[in-house]
Amino acid sequence: TDGDIIEFAKDGTTVGNIASGSSGNVFKWYGAFASGAGLGVYSNVSIRPLSNTGGTADGTVTLGHSTQRFKDLYLSSSAKITNSSGNASVELTSSTSGTSFINMGDTGDADIGQISYVNNGNSMRFTTNASERMRIDSGGNVGIGVSSPASDAGVSKIVEIEAATAGFKATATGGSSMEVYSASTASYVDTTTNHPIIFRPNKSEAMRIDSSG
């Protein structure tokens, strides 16, 4: 019949049990821990933290320890972290010369997409389609298509883009569009819509080039 098969007690107080699966819980151990928490295995194939009275609880159990860690964790679906009353975090720690990775991919290529932090040099790198596309160096410079972004004019923070034709485009929804880019023989400032280019030092118009030049 349903119910406990084995019951564990400490000083006359129940601290755990093994029960039939149809009773809801298969194994519960609680009350014997100094922290007043416990662990339960349930018939719906879930493992849950418990309070010191054996009821399910939130945030009472730690898995592993800072010096006694599990090696690998394999999941077939999702990992979710929720802290409804404060901050939530994911911490990846490698050696001072190592790299921390977040790999994103598919069954054909597990790391075709990747975010990595390289402690040797302190840079963050972003990979798509198995190739590095963007890097933020230790000084905060951003390189797109270039691994060592640097300013020839001594600018302290830059965004450097390197490609056969490299530049950026800014478009206002339903309005003007502008491109600044460099090709092999020249650099260009374009408006791709019929709007003027306006120069405004200190937010005051000083020069305007209209669509007729």
PDB file of all heavy atoms in Angstrom, residues 121 123-125 132-138 141-150 160-162:
ATOM      1  N   GLY A 121      45.412  38.930 -21.097  1.00  0.00           N
ATOM      2  CA  GLY A 121      45.209  40.118 -21.919  1.00  0.00           C
ATOM      3  C   GLY A 121      43.881  40.792 -21.653  1.00  0.00           C
ATOM      4  O   GLY A 121      43.655  41.928 -22.068  1.00  0.00           O
ATOM      5  N   SER A 123      40.491  40.358 -22.665  1.00  0.00           N
ATOM      6  CA  SER A 123      39.639  40.776 -23.779  1.00  0.00           C
ATOM      7  C   SER A 123      38.401  39.888 -23.824  1.00  0.00           C
ATOM      8  O   SER A 123      38.441  38.729 -23.415  1.00  0.00           O
ATOM      9  CB  SER A 123      40.399  40.686 -25.110  1.00  0.00           C
ATOM     10  OG  SER A 123      40.740  39.337 -25.400  1.00  0.00           O
ATOM     11  N   MET A 124      37.294  40.451 -24.309  1.00  0.00           N
ATOM     12  CA  MET A 124      36.064  39.696 -24.520  1.00  0.00           C
ATOM     13  C   MET A 124      35.848  39.549 -26.018  1.00  0.00           C
ATOM     14  O   MET A 124      35.980  40.527 -26.776  1.00  0.00           O
ATOM     15  CB  MET A 124      34.871  40.393 -23.869  1.00  0.00           C
ATOM     16  CG  MET A 124      33.554  39.645 -24.045  1.00  0.00           C
ATOM     17  SD  MET A 124      32.251  40.257 -22.948  1.00  0.00           S
ATOM     18  CE  MET A 124      32.763  39.506 -21.398  1.00  0.00           C
ATOM     19  N   ARG A 125      35.518  38.321 -26.454  1.00  0.00           N
ATOM     20  CA  ARG A 125      35.430  38.031 -27.884  1.00  0.00           C
ATOM     21  C   ARG A 125      34.078  37.398 -28.216  1.00  0.00           C
ATOM     22  O   ARG A 125      33.548  36.603 -27.451  1.00  0.00           O
ATOM     23  CB  ARG A 125      36.575  37.096 -28.299  1.00  0.00           C
ATOM     24  CG  ARG A 125      37.937  37.653 -27.885  1.00  0.00           C
ATOM     25  CD  ARG A 125      39.080  36.705 -28.152  1.00  0.00           C
ATOM     26  NE  ARG A 125      40.335  37.243 -27.628  1.00  0.00           N
ATOM     27  CZ  ARG A 125      41.523  36.695 -27.801  1.00  0.00           C
ATOM     28  NH1 ARG A 125      41.636  35.571 -28.508  1.00  0.00           N
ATOM     29  NH2 ARG A 125      42.599  37.249 -27.280  1.00  0.00           N
ATOM     30  N   GLU A 132      35.634  34.516 -35.097  1.00  0.00           N
ATOM     31  CA  GLU A 132      35.537  35.702 -34.257  1.00  0.00           C
ATOM     32  C   GLU A 132      35.129  36.902 -35.093  1.00  0.00           C
ATOM     33  O   GLU A 132      35.728  37.197 -36.129  1.00  0.00           O
ATOM     34  CB  GLU A 132      36.871  35.980 -33.570  1.00  0.00           C
ATOM     35  CG  GLU A 132      36.818  37.171 -32.630  1.00  0.00           C
ATOM     36  CD  GLU A 132      38.150  37.502 -31.982  1.00  0.00           C
ATOM     37  OE1 GLU A 132      38.949  36.565 -31.727  1.00  0.00           O
ATOM     38  OE2 GLU A 132      38.400  38.703 -31.740  1.00  0.00           O
ATOM     39  N   ARG A 133      34.083  37.623 -34.631  1.00  0.00           N
ATOM     40  CA  ARG A 133      33.577  38.776 -35.380  1.00  0.00           C
ATOM     41  C   ARG A 133      33.821  40.103 -34.661  1.00  0.00           C
ATOM     42  O   ARG A 133      33.956  41.138 -35.298  1.00  0.00           O
ATOM     43  CB  ARG A 133      32.069  38.627 -35.606  1.00  0.00           C
ATOM     44  CG  ARG A 133      31.663  37.322 -36.241  1.00  0.00           C
ATOM     45  CD  ARG A 133      32.256  37.141 -37.622  1.00  0.00           C
ATOM     46  NE  ARG A 133      31.774  35.889 -38.232  1.00  0.00           N
ATOM     47  CZ  ARG A 133      32.136  35.440 -39.413  1.00  0.00           C
ATOM     48  NH1 ARG A 133      33.015  36.120 -40.135  1.00  0.00           N
ATOM     49  NH2 ARG A 133      31.652  34.301 -39.891  1.00  0.00           N
ATOM     50  N   MET A 134      33.883  40.073 -33.319  1.00  0.00           N
ATOM     51  CA  MET A 134      34.038  41.313 -32.574  1.00  0.00           C
ATOM     52  C   MET A 134      34.853  41.052 -31.318  1.00  0.00           C
ATOM     53  O   MET A 134      34.754  39.987 -30.712  1.00  0.00           O
ATOM     54  CB  MET A 134      32.680  41.909 -32.200  1.00  0.00           C
ATOM     55  CG  MET A 134      32.770  43.274 -31.530  1.00  0.00           C
ATOM     56  SD  MET A 134      31.156  44.066 -31.289  1.00  0.00           S
ATOM     57  CE  MET A 134      30.540  43.132 -29.891  1.00  0.00           C
ATOM     58  N   ARG A 135      35.673  42.053 -30.940  1.00  0.00           N
ATOM     59  CA  ARG A 135      36.505  41.934 -29.744  1.00  0.00           C
ATOM     60  C   ARG A 135      36.495  43.263 -28.998  1.00  0.00           C
ATOM     61  O   ARG A 135      36.584  44.333 -29.595  1.00  0.00           O
ATOM     62  CB  ARG A 135      37.937  41.556 -30.121  1.00  0.00           C
ATOM     63  CG  ARG A 135      38.869  41.398 -28.927  1.00  0.00           C
ATOM     64  CD  ARG A 135      40.276  41.020 -29.348  1.00  0.00           C
ATOM     65  NE  ARG A 135      40.321  39.731 -30.046  1.00  0.00           N
ATOM     66  CZ  ARG A 135      41.440  39.037 -30.256  1.00  0.00           C
ATOM     67  NH1 ARG A 135      42.602  39.509 -29.803  1.00  0.00           N
ATOM     68  NH2 ARG A 135      41.402  37.895 -30.905  1.00  0.00           N
ATOM     69  N   ILE A 136      36.376  43.188 -27.669  1.00  0.00           N
ATOM     70  CA  ILE A 136      36.535  44.358 -26.809  1.00  0.00           C
ATOM     71  C   ILE A 136      37.809  44.146 -26.015  1.00  0.00           C
ATOM     72  O   ILE A 136      37.925  43.168 -25.266  1.00  0.00           O
ATOM     73  CB  ILE A 136      35.338  44.524 -25.857  1.00  0.00           C
ATOM     74  CG1 ILE A 136      34.023  44.583 -26.642  1.00  0.00           C
ATOM     75  CG2 ILE A 136      35.499  45.788 -25.015  1.00  0.00           C
ATOM     76  CD1 ILE A 136      32.790  44.583 -25.772  1.00  0.00           C
ATOM     77  N   ASP A 137      38.778  45.034 -26.186  1.00  0.00           N
ATOM     78  CA  ASP A 137      40.060  44.813 -25.521  1.00  0.00           C
ATOM     79  C   ASP A 137      40.026  45.352 -24.093  1.00  0.00           C
ATOM     80  O   ASP A 137      39.022  45.908 -23.627  1.00  0.00           O
ATOM     81  CB  ASP A 137      41.218  45.385 -26.335  1.00  0.00           C
ATOM     82  CG  ASP A 137      41.251  46.909 -26.382  1.00  0.00           C
ATOM     83  OD1 ASP A 137      40.520  47.569 -25.606  1.00  0.00           O
ATOM     84  OD2 ASP A 137      42.022  47.455 -27.197  1.00  0.00           O
ATOM     85  N   SER A 138      41.136  45.209 -23.373  1.00  0.00           N
ATOM     86  CA  SER A 138      41.184  45.570 -21.964  1.00  0.00           C
ATOM     87  C   SER A 138      40.998  47.067 -21.728  1.00  0.00           C
ATOM     88  O   SER A 138      40.635  47.486 -20.638  1.00  0.00           O
ATOM     89  CB  SER A 138      42.513  45.118 -21.343  1.00  0.00           C
ATOM     90  OG  SER A 138      43.601  45.734 -22.010  1.00  0.00           O
ATOM     91  N   ASN A 141      38.382  49.399 -26.105  1.00  0.00           N
ATOM     92  CA  ASN A 141      38.284  49.592 -27.546  1.00  0.00           C
ATOM     93  C   ASN A 141      37.547  48.411 -28.174  1.00  0.00           C
ATOM     94  O   ASN A 141      37.704  47.267 -27.737  1.00  0.00           O
ATOM     95  CB  ASN A 141      39.672  49.729 -28.174  1.00  0.00           C
ATOM     96  CG  ASN A 141      40.432  50.919 -27.628  1.00  0.00           C
ATOM     97  OD1 ASN A 141      39.943  52.037 -27.638  1.00  0.00           O
ATOM     98  ND2 ASN A 141      41.635  50.678 -27.134  1.00  0.00           N
ATOM     99  N   VAL A 142      36.763  48.682 -29.198  1.00  0.00           N
ATOM    100  CA  VAL A 142      35.957  47.662 -29.860  1.00  0.00           C
ATOM    101  C   VAL A 142      36.487  47.441 -31.272  1.00  0.00           C
ATOM    102  O   VAL A 142      36.657  48.395 -32.043  1.00  0.00           O
ATOM    103  CB  VAL A 142      34.470  48.085 -29.925  1.00  0.00           C
ATOM    104  CG1 VAL A 142      33.645  47.038 -30.643  1.00  0.00           C
ATOM    105  CG2 VAL A 142      33.921  48.322 -28.521  1.00  0.00           C
ATOM    106  N   GLY A 143      36.760  46.192 -31.603  1.00  0.00           N
ATOM    107  CA  GLY A 143      37.196  45.851 -32.950  1.00  0.00           C
ATOM    108  C   GLY A 143      36.204  44.924 -33.616  1.00  0.00           C
ATOM    109  O   GLY A 143      35.819  43.910 -33.037  1.00  0.00           O
ATOM    110  N   ILE A 144      35.753  45.256 -34.812  1.00  0.00           N
ATOM    111  CA  ILE A 144      34.873  44.404 -35.607  1.00  0.00           C
ATOM    112  C   ILE A 144      35.658  43.954 -36.828  1.00  0.00           C
ATOM    113  O   ILE A 144      36.024  44.776 -37.668  1.00  0.00           O
ATOM    114  CB  ILE A 144      33.590  45.145 -36.019  1.00  0.00           C
ATOM    115  CG1 ILE A 144      32.823  45.612 -34.773  1.00  0.00           C
ATOM    116  CG2 ILE A 144      32.699  44.252 -36.883  1.00  0.00           C
ATOM    117  CD1 ILE A 144      31.604  46.460 -35.075  1.00  0.00           C
ATOM    118  N   GLY A 145      35.995  42.673 -36.878  1.00  0.00           N
ATOM    119  CA  GLY A 145      36.825  42.170 -37.961  1.00  0.00           C
ATOM    120  C   GLY A 145      38.301  42.449 -37.765  1.00  0.00           C
ATOM    121  O   GLY A 145      39.101  42.221 -38.664  1.00  0.00           O
ATOM    122  N   VAL A 146      38.682  42.955 -36.595  1.00  0.00           N
ATOM    123  CA  VAL A 146      40.079  43.251 -36.296  1.00  0.00           C
ATOM    124  C   VAL A 146      40.332  42.834 -34.849  1.00  0.00           C
ATOM    125  O   VAL A 146      39.512  43.065 -33.971  1.00  0.00           O
ATOM    126  CB  VAL A 146      40.399  44.747 -36.519  1.00  0.00           C
ATOM    127  CG1 VAL A 146      39.501  45.642 -35.693  1.00  0.00           C
ATOM    128  CG2 VAL A 146      41.855  45.046 -36.231  1.00  0.00           C
ATOM    129  N   SER A 147      41.475  42.189 -34.605  1.00  0.00           N
ATOM    130  CA  SER A 147      41.742  41.626 -33.282  1.00  0.00           C
ATOM    131  C   SER A 147      42.418  42.595 -32.328  1.00  0.00           C
ATOM    132  O   SER A 147      42.395  42.378 -31.114  1.00  0.00           O
ATOM    133  CB  SER A 147      42.607  40.361 -33.418  1.00  0.00           C
ATOM    134  OG  SER A 147      43.841  40.668 -34.044  1.00  0.00           O
ATOM    135  N   SER A 148      43.047  43.658 -32.839  1.00  0.00           N
ATOM    136  CA  SER A 148      43.739  44.617 -31.981  1.00  0.00           C
ATOM    137  C   SER A 148      43.314  46.032 -32.341  1.00  0.00           C
ATOM    138  O   SER A 148      44.054  46.771 -33.017  1.00  0.00           O
ATOM    139  CB  SER A 148      45.261  44.471 -32.128  1.00  0.00           C
ATOM    140  OG  SER A 148      45.685  43.186 -31.752  1.00  0.00           O
ATOM    141  N   PRO A 149      42.126  46.463 -31.924  1.00  0.00           N
ATOM    142  CA  PRO A 149      41.653  47.804 -32.271  1.00  0.00           C
ATOM    143  C   PRO A 149      42.539  48.875 -31.647  1.00  0.00           C
ATOM    144  O   PRO A 149      42.896  48.807 -30.472  1.00  0.00           O
ATOM    145  CB  PRO A 149      40.234  47.838 -31.687  1.00  0.00           C
ATOM    146  CG  PRO A 149      40.239  46.802 -30.604  1.00  0.00           C
ATOM    147  CD  PRO A 149      41.164  45.732 -31.088  1.00  0.00           C
ATOM    148  N   ALA A 150      42.929  49.859 -32.441  1.00  0.00           N
ATOM    149  CA  ALA A 150      43.802  50.929 -31.957  1.00  0.00           C
ATOM    150  C   ALA A 150      43.579  52.171 -32.805  1.00  0.00           C
ATOM    151  O   ALA A 150      43.219  52.082 -33.984  1.00  0.00           O
ATOM    152  CB  ALA A 150      45.270  50.510 -32.022  1.00  0.00           C
ATOM    153  N   GLU A 160      36.801  50.124 -34.119  1.00  0.00           N
ATOM    154  CA  GLU A 160      37.520  49.915 -35.383  1.00  0.00           C
ATOM    155  C   GLU A 160      36.880  48.771 -36.144  1.00  0.00           C
ATOM    156  O   GLU A 160      36.620  47.700 -35.594  1.00  0.00           O
ATOM    157  CB  GLU A 160      38.994  49.606 -35.129  1.00  0.00           C
ATOM    158  CG  GLU A 160      39.800  49.433 -36.420  1.00  0.00           C
ATOM    159  CD  GLU A 160      41.286  49.215 -36.163  1.00  0.00           C
ATOM    160  OE1 GLU A 160      41.714  49.328 -34.999  1.00  0.00           O
ATOM    161  OE2 GLU A 160      42.008  48.940 -37.135  1.00  0.00           O
ATOM    162  N   ILE A 161      36.623  49.007 -37.416  1.00  0.00           N
ATOM    163  CA  ILE A 161      36.009  48.000 -38.287  1.00  0.00           C
ATOM    164  C   ILE A 161      36.960  47.739 -39.438  1.00  0.00           C
ATOM    165  O   ILE A 161      37.452  48.678 -40.080  1.00  0.00           O
ATOM    166  CB  ILE A 161      34.649  48.484 -38.823  1.00  0.00           C
ATOM    167  CG1 ILE A 161      33.718  48.863 -37.664  1.00  0.00           C
ATOM    168  CG2 ILE A 161      33.997  47.413 -39.701  1.00  0.00           C
ATOM    169  CD1 ILE A 161      32.452  49.551 -38.091  1.00  0.00           C
ATOM    170  N   GLU A 162      37.240  46.466 -39.711  1.00  0.00           N
ATOM    171  CA  GLU A 162      38.157  46.138 -40.790  1.00  0.00           C
ATOM    172  C   GLU A 162      37.493  45.153 -41.745  1.00  0.00           C
ATOM    173  O   GLU A 162      37.028  44.087 -41.345  1.00  0.00           O
ATOM    174  CB  GLU A 162      39.451  45.531 -40.246  1.00  0.00           C
ATOM    175  CG  GLU A 162      40.485  45.247 -41.334  1.00  0.00           C
ATOM    176  CD  GLU A 162      41.815  44.819 -40.738  1.00  0.00           C
ATOM    177  OE1 GLU A 162      42.355  45.545 -39.898  1.00  0.00           O
ATOM    178  OE2 GLU A 162      42.287  43.742 -41.130  1.00  0.00           O
TER     179      GLU A 162
END
